[in-house]
Amino acid sequence: LCVGLVGVVGLLCLLSYLRELIGTGADEQQLGNVFWGTGVASAACFAVGWGFVAGQPVAHAEAGSVLAIPPPVTHLISETGGSVMIYGAGSMLLGLALAILFIRPAALPTWLRWLTLIAAIAAFAGLAFFTFYLVLLWGVVVGLWLLIAGRRRRALFAEQ
């Protein structure tokens, strides 16, 4: 649960930074607001999903043999958290946010923009589960790009 929630905070930080890249003009601001709204909704779904998934074992461990929930109910709660909230709604909303980021050409370099489109499609197909790993890979690539681009900017400012 803790690792999942740290991931949610990291996602919010990434989305906040990417929102700034969309721009501040009238059209860009509207796109940025929709991007931010869908991204926050996605992060909320991830957080709630991790709460469902992690809450099950905690409840069973704390209650011991006193907790008498039939296995189908336990399975239902687990699937609601994992499949519906994390890989369903959360992933699809993140895919929408990434598609919005793709729409704004100046926000990212061309290669990263097309990679973002692939990640958006993979996120829309998040219920297939294995496609979500492409979204995670996109997050790693964007993180590395941001680190490298940040170093270059700092070096340019240091020279001036």
Side-chain angles (χ1 to χ4, degrees):
L1 176 64
C2 291
V3 171
L5 294 180
V6 167
V8 167
V9 171
L11 176 62
L12 288 171
C13 291
L14 175 63
L15 293 173
S16 174
Y17 182 81
L18 292 175
R19 179 185 185 193
E20 298 298 319
L21 293 179
I22 291 177
T24 56
D27 292 338
E28 291 89 2
Q29 189 172 16
Q30 185 66 28
L31 273 177
N33 289 341
V34 175
F35 171 81
W36 179 245
T38 55
V40 168
S42 170
C45 288
F46 288 140
V48 169
W50 280 114
F52 271 106
V53 170
Q56 287 265 12
V58 170
H60 285 283
E62 287 181 356
S65 61
V66 177
L67 185 63
I69 296 178
V73 175
T74 299
H75 180 74
L76 174 71
I77 295 170
S78 178
E79 285 299 312
T80 300
S83 294
V84 174
M85 296 304 291
I86 295 173
Y87 297 109
S91 183
M92 289 179 184
L93 286 167
L94 182 59
L96 179 58
L98 296 180
I100 291 168
L101 188 61
F102 173 78
I103 291 171
R104 183 71 179 111
L108 300 172
T110 304
W111 67 270
L112 188 54
R113 201 170 144 246
W114 287 103
L115 188 63
T116 300
L117 178 63
I118 293 169
I121 294 167
F124 277 124
L127 280 175
F129 180 72
F130 69 90
T131 61
F132 196 72
Y133 289 105
L134 292 174
V135 180
L136 296 177
L137 180 63
W138 172 86
V140 170
V141 169
V142 168
L144 291 173
W145 172 72
L146 288 172
L147 287 174
I148 293 168
R151 287 186 185 153
R152 287 183 187 158
R153 276 192 224 116
R154 284 191 296 272
L156 288 173
F157 286 125
E159 290 175 8
Q160 294 174 356

